[in-house]
Amino acid sequence: QKLLVGTAKFTWTTLWKTMISELAPQSPDGEYVRPAPQRGSGARWPANKPMVAGRYHVYVGNPCPWCHRVSITLALRGLEGAVGLTRLANDPERASRGGWCFDDSAPDPLVGAADLKAVYDAVTPGGAYEGRCTAPLLVD
């Protein structure tokens, strides 16, 4: 019985640490560590890219607070019709990397991708994106 309890405790602890480490980057002490920006910093809307209805598309996932903020901003600014919006499903079993994929009821309208990794690959020159696949994602 002692062996069974020890094995169960070890398995649970290992699975918990694996699951938590997939959710957010952390230090060896378990503290959240914000990753460095992937593409520069201090982003500004470029003047040479005017807001044109139908030009931009954003991918958001409901469980993500950053995606939720983007959805609220689009609604408050009245941009829901001007900026295309696709809601992602959070299913790590179906997604190849990052956990974001498309529901059968709401497929990817731009490139027909199965998950967000495939969208990143499609919009990356050369078609092989190497970074983290995160949402929200704005595509021009």
Side-chain angles (χ1 to χ4, degrees), residues 65-89:
W66 290 276
C67 293
H68 191 241
R69 290 177 184 126
V70 167
S71 298
I72 290 171
T73 301
L74 289 174
L76 291 175
R77 296 280 183 172
L79 297 173
E80 291 171 310
V83 177
L85 179 78
T86 299
R87 297 205 181 274
L88 301 163

Side-chain angles (χ1 to χ4, degrees), residues 8-69:
K9 185 177 179 182
F10 172 77
T11 303
W12 173 254
T13 303
T14 304
L15 289 174
W16 179 258
K17 286 181 180 179
T18 302
M19 183 177 70
I20 293 300
S21 69
E22 292 293 322
L23 292 176
Q26 52 187 296
S27 71
D29 297 330
E31 296 176 358
Y32 176 73
V33 177
R34 182 173 302 279
Q38 296 181 44
R39 303 258 180 181
S41 61
R44 306 256 188 283
W45 193 266
N48 63 347
K49 293 191 177 193
M51 184 59 190
V52 178
R55 178 175 179 169
Y56 304 101
H57 194 85
V58 66
Y59 294 90
V60 296
N62 284 340
C64 172
W66 290 276
C67 293
H68 191 241
R69 290 177 184 126

Side-chain angles (χ1 to χ4, degrees), residues 72-110:
I72 290 171
T73 301
L74 289 174
L76 291 175
R77 296 280 183 172
L79 297 173
E80 291 171 310
V83 177
L85 179 78
T86 299
R87 297 205 181 274
L88 301 163
N90 185 16
D91 189 351
E93 292 180 7
R94 290 192 303 152
S96 59
R97 187 170 65 185
W100 296 111
C101 61
F102 299 95
D103 278 331
D104 295 333
S105 62
D108 176 30
L110 296 183

